Amino acid sequence: MNGAVATGRDNSITQVRYLEPDWPAPANVRAASSLRGGGVSRGPYASLNLALHVGDEPEAVARNRRALGVALAWPAEPLWLNQVHGARVVQASPQAIVPEADAAYARQAGEVCVVLTADCLPVLFCDLDGGCVAAAHAGWRGLAGGVLGATLAAMGVPAARTMAWLGPAIEPAAFEVGAEVRHAFLARDAGHTGAFAHNARGRWQADLHALARRELQ
């Protein structure tokens, strides 16, 4: 599917667009990564902003979330997270307050995991039977803190029966980091060296996708 139509309160029709992973997930698993257009937010938040913490109008965010829910026909409201670039993982069941976490997993049919990303990397998981799914928010701090390993541990599924999809994130050419970031990863695993390229300013261009793939391996 390329998208869906949602009608806002002002009767304007917006086209919500999203990417669907090209992965061999079971038929009962649905996954998507929303694109920027098709919402009602304005200015720097234009237009399908889904985050409440960036200064956008709460009503606009609520309308954007509803529009995405219609487009994806999700079976229930997702468990939205208060993301802090950490490695905490929670179950995607209804909770009284928004949990502080950077990943969520679900074992029950109809539960929806969601993470918010801008430059950071969304990583989606499922097992071969579709009995468990998860979503992780993986910026460099989360990756260095072990968020992907923590998510796999929370799922409790053998690695050989788990698949992962790495969504869109900042490209290496646009992601310059200092030596301290590179050192944090090499302290975890010397094999991370291939994810960093030295630049003319004496700093490093980091490849989030390569870092995530190495962490998953």
PDB file of all heavy atoms in Angstrom, residues 57-78:
ATOM      1  N   GLU A  57       2.072  21.812  18.464  1.00  0.00           N
ATOM      2  CA  GLU A  57       0.760  21.896  19.102  1.00  0.00           C
ATOM      3  C   GLU A  57       0.248  20.493  19.427  1.00  0.00           C
ATOM      4  O   GLU A  57       0.175  19.635  18.529  1.00  0.00           O
ATOM      5  CB  GLU A  57      -0.227  22.605  18.180  1.00  0.00           C
ATOM      6  CG  GLU A  57       0.054  24.076  17.971  1.00  0.00           C
ATOM      7  CD  GLU A  57      -0.159  24.875  19.239  1.00  0.00           C
ATOM      8  OE1 GLU A  57      -0.962  24.448  20.103  1.00  0.00           O
ATOM      9  OE2 GLU A  57       0.493  25.932  19.379  1.00  0.00           O
ATOM     10  N   PRO A  58      -0.146  20.224  20.677  1.00  0.00           N
ATOM     11  CA  PRO A  58      -0.618  18.888  21.045  1.00  0.00           C
ATOM     12  C   PRO A  58      -1.782  18.402  20.192  1.00  0.00           C
ATOM     13  O   PRO A  58      -1.847  17.217  19.856  1.00  0.00           O
ATOM     14  CB  PRO A  58      -1.013  19.047  22.521  1.00  0.00           C
ATOM     15  CG  PRO A  58      -0.171  20.169  23.018  1.00  0.00           C
ATOM     16  CD  PRO A  58      -0.043  21.112  21.858  1.00  0.00           C
ATOM     17  N   GLU A  59      -2.693  19.302  19.828  1.00  0.00           N
ATOM     18  CA  GLU A  59      -3.837  18.884  19.019  1.00  0.00           C
ATOM     19  C   GLU A  59      -3.384  18.444  17.626  1.00  0.00           C
ATOM     20  O   GLU A  59      -3.923  17.487  17.062  1.00  0.00           O
ATOM     21  CB  GLU A  59      -4.858  20.020  18.905  1.00  0.00           C
ATOM     22  CG  GLU A  59      -6.050  19.707  18.012  1.00  0.00           C
ATOM     23  CD  GLU A  59      -6.847  18.477  18.447  1.00  0.00           C
ATOM     24  OE1 GLU A  59      -6.796  18.105  19.631  1.00  0.00           O
ATOM     25  OE2 GLU A  59      -7.528  17.895  17.573  1.00  0.00           O
ATOM     26  N   ALA A  60      -2.388  19.125  17.072  1.00  0.00           N
ATOM     27  CA  ALA A  60      -1.865  18.737  15.764  1.00  0.00           C
ATOM     28  C   ALA A  60      -1.219  17.354  15.840  1.00  0.00           C
ATOM     29  O   ALA A  60      -1.411  16.515  14.954  1.00  0.00           O
ATOM     30  CB  ALA A  60      -0.853  19.765  15.263  1.00  0.00           C
ATOM     31  N   VAL A  61      -0.463  17.112  16.896  1.00  0.00           N
ATOM     32  CA  VAL A  61       0.170  15.794  17.072  1.00  0.00           C
ATOM     33  C   VAL A  61      -0.891  14.715  17.211  1.00  0.00           C
ATOM     34  O   VAL A  61      -0.784  13.638  16.610  1.00  0.00           O
ATOM     35  CB  VAL A  61       1.108  15.799  18.298  1.00  0.00           C
ATOM     36  CG1 VAL A  61       1.675  14.401  18.539  1.00  0.00           C
ATOM     37  CG2 VAL A  61       2.248  16.797  18.098  1.00  0.00           C
ATOM     38  N   ALA A  62      -1.936  15.004  17.994  1.00  0.00           N
ATOM     39  CA  ALA A  62      -3.010  14.025  18.173  1.00  0.00           C
ATOM     40  C   ALA A  62      -3.680  13.710  16.843  1.00  0.00           C
ATOM     41  O   ALA A  62      -3.988  12.537  16.544  1.00  0.00           O
ATOM     42  CB  ALA A  62      -4.031  14.552  19.182  1.00  0.00           C
ATOM     43  N   ARG A  63      -3.922  14.734  16.034  1.00  0.00           N
ATOM     44  CA  ARG A  63      -4.548  14.503  14.730  1.00  0.00           C
ATOM     45  C   ARG A  63      -3.623  13.705  13.808  1.00  0.00           C
ATOM     46  O   ARG A  63      -4.073  12.835  13.059  1.00  0.00           O
ATOM     47  CB  ARG A  63      -4.915  15.840  14.101  1.00  0.00           C
ATOM     48  CG  ARG A  63      -6.071  16.539  14.814  1.00  0.00           C
ATOM     49  CD  ARG A  63      -6.324  17.910  14.235  1.00  0.00           C
ATOM     50  NE  ARG A  63      -6.702  17.851  12.822  1.00  0.00           N
ATOM     51  CZ  ARG A  63      -6.804  18.932  12.053  1.00  0.00           C
ATOM     52  NH1 ARG A  63      -6.565  20.134  12.547  1.00  0.00           N
ATOM     53  NH2 ARG A  63      -7.164  18.811  10.784  1.00  0.00           N
ATOM     54  N   ASN A  64      -2.338  14.004  13.862  1.00  0.00           N
ATOM     55  CA  ASN A  64      -1.380  13.246  13.050  1.00  0.00           C
ATOM     56  C   ASN A  64      -1.351  11.781  13.451  1.00  0.00           C
ATOM     57  O   ASN A  64      -1.312  10.886  12.603  1.00  0.00           O
ATOM     58  CB  ASN A  64       0.012  13.849  13.196  1.00  0.00           C
ATOM     59  CG  ASN A  64       0.139  15.208  12.553  1.00  0.00           C
ATOM     60  OD1 ASN A  64      -0.647  15.575  11.685  1.00  0.00           O
ATOM     61  ND2 ASN A  64       1.143  15.970  12.980  1.00  0.00           N
ATOM     62  N   ARG A  65      -1.382  11.535  14.742  1.00  0.00           N
ATOM     63  CA  ARG A  65      -1.369  10.146  15.218  1.00  0.00           C
ATOM     64  C   ARG A  65      -2.644   9.421  14.793  1.00  0.00           C
ATOM     65  O   ARG A  65      -2.588   8.252  14.395  1.00  0.00           O
ATOM     66  CB  ARG A  65      -1.199  10.117  16.740  1.00  0.00           C
ATOM     67  CG  ARG A  65       0.187  10.542  17.215  1.00  0.00           C
ATOM     68  CD  ARG A  65       0.312  10.473  18.732  1.00  0.00           C
ATOM     69  NE  ARG A  65       1.669  10.782  19.177  1.00  0.00           N
ATOM     70  CZ  ARG A  65       2.083  10.711  20.440  1.00  0.00           C
ATOM     71  NH1 ARG A  65       1.220  10.363  21.395  1.00  0.00           N
ATOM     72  NH2 ARG A  65       3.335  11.004  20.755  1.00  0.00           N
ATOM     73  N   ARG A  66      -3.775  10.106  14.868  1.00  0.00           N
ATOM     74  CA  ARG A  66      -5.015   9.472  14.443  1.00  0.00           C
ATOM     75  C   ARG A  66      -4.979   9.164  12.952  1.00  0.00           C
ATOM     76  O   ARG A  66      -5.431   8.095  12.517  1.00  0.00           O
ATOM     77  CB  ARG A  66      -6.209  10.369  14.775  1.00  0.00           C
ATOM     78  CG  ARG A  66      -6.559  10.431  16.255  1.00  0.00           C
ATOM     79  CD  ARG A  66      -7.940  11.020  16.475  1.00  0.00           C
ATOM     80  NE  ARG A  66      -8.045  12.401  16.014  1.00  0.00           N
ATOM     81  CZ  ARG A  66      -7.796  13.466  16.764  1.00  0.00           C
ATOM     82  NH1 ARG A  66      -7.411  13.314  18.033  1.00  0.00           N
ATOM     83  NH2 ARG A  66      -7.937  14.693  16.273  1.00  0.00           N
ATOM     84  N   ALA A  67      -4.446  10.101  12.160  1.00  0.00           N
ATOM     85  CA  ALA A  67      -4.375   9.887  10.718  1.00  0.00           C
ATOM     86  C   ALA A  67      -3.486   8.692  10.382  1.00  0.00           C
ATOM     87  O   ALA A  67      -3.807   7.884   9.503  1.00  0.00           O
ATOM     88  CB  ALA A  67      -3.852  11.145  10.026  1.00  0.00           C
ATOM     89  N   LEU A  68      -2.358   8.571  11.076  1.00  0.00           N
ATOM     90  CA  LEU A  68      -1.483   7.430  10.833  1.00  0.00           C
ATOM     91  C   LEU A  68      -2.166   6.136  11.249  1.00  0.00           C
ATOM     92  O   LEU A  68      -2.057   5.115  10.565  1.00  0.00           O
ATOM     93  CB  LEU A  68      -0.171   7.600  11.604  1.00  0.00           C
ATOM     94  CG  LEU A  68       0.871   6.511  11.374  1.00  0.00           C
ATOM     95  CD1 LEU A  68       1.307   6.459   9.919  1.00  0.00           C
ATOM     96  CD2 LEU A  68       2.083   6.715  12.284  1.00  0.00           C
ATOM     97  N   GLY A  69      -2.900   6.186  12.359  1.00  0.00           N
ATOM     98  CA  GLY A  69      -3.622   4.997  12.790  1.00  0.00           C
ATOM     99  C   GLY A  69      -4.649   4.537  11.777  1.00  0.00           C
ATOM    100  O   GLY A  69      -4.813   3.337  11.535  1.00  0.00           O
ATOM    101  N   VAL A  70      -5.338   5.481  11.144  1.00  0.00           N
ATOM    102  CA  VAL A  70      -6.301   5.132  10.101  1.00  0.00           C
ATOM    103  C   VAL A  70      -5.573   4.546   8.898  1.00  0.00           C
ATOM    104  O   VAL A  70      -5.988   3.532   8.324  1.00  0.00           O
ATOM    105  CB  VAL A  70      -7.136   6.367   9.696  1.00  0.00           C
ATOM    106  CG1 VAL A  70      -7.968   6.076   8.456  1.00  0.00           C
ATOM    107  CG2 VAL A  70      -8.031   6.794  10.852  1.00  0.00           C
ATOM    108  N   ALA A  71      -4.470   5.185   8.509  1.00  0.00           N
ATOM    109  CA  ALA A  71      -3.719   4.724   7.341  1.00  0.00           C
ATOM    110  C   ALA A  71      -3.197   3.311   7.518  1.00  0.00           C
ATOM    111  O   ALA A  71      -3.236   2.498   6.588  1.00  0.00           O
ATOM    112  CB  ALA A  71      -2.565   5.679   7.059  1.00  0.00           C
ATOM    113  N   LEU A  72      -2.718   3.010   8.711  1.00  0.00           N
ATOM    114  CA  LEU A  72      -2.142   1.688   8.973  1.00  0.00           C
ATOM    115  C   LEU A  72      -3.164   0.694   9.507  1.00  0.00           C
ATOM    116  O   LEU A  72      -2.853  -0.490   9.647  1.00  0.00           O
ATOM    117  CB  LEU A  72      -0.987   1.816   9.970  1.00  0.00           C
ATOM    118  CG  LEU A  72       0.210   2.652   9.506  1.00  0.00           C
ATOM    119  CD1 LEU A  72       1.266   2.713  10.601  1.00  0.00           C
ATOM    120  CD2 LEU A  72       0.804   2.090   8.226  1.00  0.00           C
ATOM    121  N   ALA A  73      -4.366   1.184   9.815  1.00  0.00           N
ATOM    122  CA  ALA A  73      -5.427   0.330  10.375  1.00  0.00           C
ATOM    123  C   ALA A  73      -4.923  -0.443  11.581  1.00  0.00           C
ATOM    124  O   ALA A  73      -5.171  -1.631  11.721  1.00  0.00           O
ATOM    125  CB  ALA A  73      -5.952  -0.629   9.299  1.00  0.00           C
ATOM    126  N   TRP A  74      -4.212   0.273  12.466  1.00  0.00           N
ATOM    127  CA  TRP A  74      -3.706  -0.462  13.628  1.00  0.00           C
ATOM    128  C   TRP A  74      -4.835  -0.864  14.563  1.00  0.00           C
ATOM    129  O   TRP A  74      -5.837  -0.162  14.694  1.00  0.00           O
ATOM    130  CB  TRP A  74      -2.576   0.282  14.329  1.00  0.00           C
ATOM    131  CG  TRP A  74      -2.814   1.672  14.827  1.00  0.00           C
ATOM    132  CD1 TRP A  74      -3.939   2.179  15.391  1.00  0.00           C
ATOM    133  CD2 TRP A  74      -1.836   2.725  14.838  1.00  0.00           C
ATOM    134  NE1 TRP A  74      -3.741   3.482  15.765  1.00  0.00           N
ATOM    135  CE2 TRP A  74      -2.456   3.849  15.444  1.00  0.00           C
ATOM    136  CE3 TRP A  74      -0.510   2.839  14.434  1.00  0.00           C
ATOM    137  CZ2 TRP A  74      -1.789   5.057  15.619  1.00  0.00           C
ATOM    138  CZ3 TRP A  74       0.150   4.044  14.616  1.00  0.00           C
ATOM    139  CH2 TRP A  74      -0.491   5.139  15.198  1.00  0.00           C
ATOM    140  N   PRO A  75      -4.703  -2.006  15.200  1.00  0.00           N
ATOM    141  CA  PRO A  75      -5.809  -2.579  15.961  1.00  0.00           C
ATOM    142  C   PRO A  75      -6.028  -1.938  17.329  1.00  0.00           C
ATOM    143  O   PRO A  75      -7.064  -2.167  17.952  1.00  0.00           O
ATOM    144  CB  PRO A  75      -5.400  -4.048  16.118  1.00  0.00           C
ATOM    145  CG  PRO A  75      -3.908  -4.009  16.099  1.00  0.00           C
ATOM    146  CD  PRO A  75      -3.539  -2.924  15.128  1.00  0.00           C
ATOM    147  N   ALA A  76      -5.053  -1.166  17.785  1.00  0.00           N
ATOM    148  CA  ALA A  76      -5.169  -0.528  19.097  1.00  0.00           C
ATOM    149  C   ALA A  76      -4.214   0.652  19.129  1.00  0.00           C
ATOM    150  O   ALA A  76      -3.305   0.764  18.296  1.00  0.00           O
ATOM    151  CB  ALA A  76      -4.820  -1.514  20.208  1.00  0.00           C
ATOM    152  N   GLU A  77      -4.401   1.538  20.086  1.00  0.00           N
ATOM    153  CA  GLU A  77      -3.481   2.652  20.258  1.00  0.00           C
ATOM    154  C   GLU A  77      -2.112   2.114  20.678  1.00  0.00           C
ATOM    155  O   GLU A  77      -2.005   1.287  21.585  1.00  0.00           O
ATOM    156  CB  GLU A  77      -4.004   3.618  21.325  1.00  0.00           C
ATOM    157  CG  GLU A  77      -3.146   4.833  21.571  1.00  0.00           C
ATOM    158  CD  GLU A  77      -3.138   5.811  20.399  1.00  0.00           C
ATOM    159  OE1 GLU A  77      -3.982   5.672  19.484  1.00  0.00           O
ATOM    160  OE2 GLU A  77      -2.290   6.727  20.403  1.00  0.00           O
ATOM    161  N   PRO A  78      -1.043   2.563  20.035  1.00  0.00           N
ATOM    162  CA  PRO A  78       0.285   2.088  20.430  1.00  0.00           C
ATOM    163  C   PRO A  78       0.660   2.555  21.826  1.00  0.00           C
ATOM    164  O   PRO A  78       0.078   3.517  22.359  1.00  0.00           O
ATOM    165  CB  PRO A  78       1.215   2.726  19.388  1.00  0.00           C
ATOM    166  CG  PRO A  78       0.337   3.158  18.275  1.00  0.00           C
ATOM    167  CD  PRO A  78      -0.994   3.469  18.888  1.00  0.00           C
TER     168      PRO A  78
END
